[in-house]
Amino acid sequence: MAGFVYIMSNPLFTRIKIGMSSKDPTKDRLKQLNSETGTAEKYQCEYYAFVNDEKSLEQAVHQNLSENRVHKEFFEVSILEGINAIKNLADNYGGIKYEETFYKNIRKQKFENFTYEGEFKLLKFHGFGSLKYHDGSNEYIGNWKNGKRHGKGECKKKDGISYNGDWIEDKWNGKGQAIFPTGSIYTGDWVEGKFHGNGEAILESGTTCTGDWVESKMHGKCIQKFSNGSIFEGNFKNGLAHGEGVMWGANGDRFEQKYEDGKKLSSEQTND
């Protein structure tokens, strides 16, 4: 049965409400919500989409924004981020039949090399928005703060690298995943645009490297799983095996090994 998925806001709160209704949310649902809550300021409808399957779409949007859920249907995200989530997921549930946007703080501005569409604050990109270069070389969609990419966001760069995760002042910081043109993938912690902390890299060769990283190099305890089935677990320093480690062959053979700056010093088979 077709119905509405809507976004409502209240001037008293930064959080927004994302819900569903079989009736026009700007009338019946809005009136009901304001009578139930009894807040000093009234809720207002910022956006709605009329869709084939409002229940499934609402659940998908809630799941998509679950990290920012405050309580039940309330989320600590911007209105535009909520709108974007509904639009991106709607095609999976029959698409949007029609929609209405009442939110006013959305602007589209064309610059010499790129176009920005989203929220502003004091003439700076601030809130949720997308930036796309006219030549198709770079694009970003996500959160902004004082003109810089800050919060959750996704980018595609002209060199073929894509990143989806946390940003701090235009740099990859926090949790995120990058996919490189070679086919390799890194998922984990980032600091200043580098693998730093705990993470996993899947290389184009099929080798998987999981563990501690410092400035994009394995450093500390790590596990390497090779495409031939062998596994190495041990200590690394500046991207090279360093210290003690254990190598398991694809056939189950176990070797205790010692390394110095990537050079194998000893290897002793220790099978029972």
Side-chain angles (χ1 to χ4, degrees):
M1 181 177 178
F4 299 87
V5 176
Y6 61 80
I7 295 175
M8 292 187 184
S9 69
N10 189 302
L12 294 177
F13 313 115
T14 56
R15 63 179 183 260
I16 63 173
K17 175 179 170 62
I18 302 176
M20 67 170 187
S21 176
S22 59
K23 300 179 181 180
D24 185 344
T26 65
K27 297 177 182 178
D28 303 276
R29 187 65 187 99
L30 191 60
K31 182 179 179 180
Q32 180 186 14
L33 182 63
N34 284 323
S35 64
E36 289 175 349
T37 57
T39 56
E41 294 285 348
K42 300 298 184 182
Y43 280 89
Q44 54 195 25
C45 186
E46 303 289 0
Y47 171 85
Y48 71 71
F50 186 68
V51 297
N52 281 327
D53 187 351
E54 75 276 18
K55 183 177 181 179
S56 296
L57 177 56
E58 181 207 40
Q59 290 175 347
V61 172
H62 286 185
Q63 179 62 36
N64 181 260
L65 301 175
S66 60
E67 289 185 6
N68 303 102
R69 188 195 296 267
V70 178
H71 179 68
K72 294 184 177 179
E73 296 181 343
F74 291 91
F75 298 82
E76 199 66 57
V77 299
S78 71
I79 293 168
L80 194 54
E81 189 170 358
I83 294 173
N84 186 69
I86 292 172
K87 289 185 175 183
N88 284 344
L89 293 167
D91 285 344
N92 297 329
Y93 304 96
I96 295 175
K97 294 178 177 294
Y98 63 86
E99 61 186 339
E100 288 286 347
T101 302
F102 306 97
Y103 182 53
K104 300 300 182 184
N105 191 28
I106 302 175
R107 289 168 52 192
K108 185 174 183 178
Q109 190 165 347
K110 188 174 181 180
F111 296 84
E112 182 179 356
N113 296 317
F114 60 84
T115 297
Y116 173 83
E117 183 174 7
E119 297 170 300
F120 285 80
K121 182 179 180 181
L122 299 177
L123 302 180
K124 292 184 178 180
F125 309 157
H126 189 95
F128 191 85
S130 65
L131 185 151
K132 295 182 179 181
Y133 277 77
H134 301 149
D135 61 5
S137 59
N138 291 281
E139 61 181 77
Y140 171 83
I141 182 166
N143 290 286
W144 299 79
K145 184 178 180 181
N146 296 324
K148 294 183 177 181
R149 293 164 290 184
H150 192 95
K152 297 285 186 183
E154 180 177 358
C155 77
K156 294 179 181 179
K157 302 173 65 178
K158 63 180 179 181
D159 57 10
I161 298 174
S162 64
Y163 172 82
N164 189 348
D166 299 326
W167 298 70
I168 296 179
E169 294 189 343
D170 271 341
K171 294 183 179 179
W172 305 349
N173 276 281
K175 301 285 187 182
Q177 181 185 80
I179 302 175
F180 299 89
T182 57
S184 59
I185 301 171
Y186 173 81
T187 306
D189 298 325
W190 297 79
V191 173
E192 299 287 317
K194 295 182 179 180
F195 315 164
H196 198 97
N198 187 264
E200 178 183 84
I202 303 174
L203 308 181
E204 57 269 28
S205 63
T207 298
T208 300
C209 306
T210 307
D212 300 323
W213 299 77
V214 173
E215 295 189 345
S216 296
K217 294 180 180 179
M218 291 183 291
H219 193 94
K221 295 286 187 182
C222 296
I223 299 174
Q224 288 183 313
K225 296 181 179 180
F226 301 93
S227 58
N228 64 2
S230 60
I231 300 172
F232 177 78
E233 181 176 357
N235 294 292
F236 284 76
K237 178 183 176 183
N238 295 324
L240 300 173
H242 187 85
E244 297 181 348
V246 177
M247 173 70 81
W248 285 272
N251 61 358
D253 288 343
R254 183 180 187 276
F255 299 86
E256 292 187 0
Q257 301 177 333
K258 289 185 179 180
Y259 288 82
E260 183 175 350
D261 295 328
K263 182 180 180 181
K264 188 190 298 180
L265 302 178
S266 65
S267 181
E268 180 181 355
Q269 188 170 351
T270 58
N271 291 33
D272 292 334

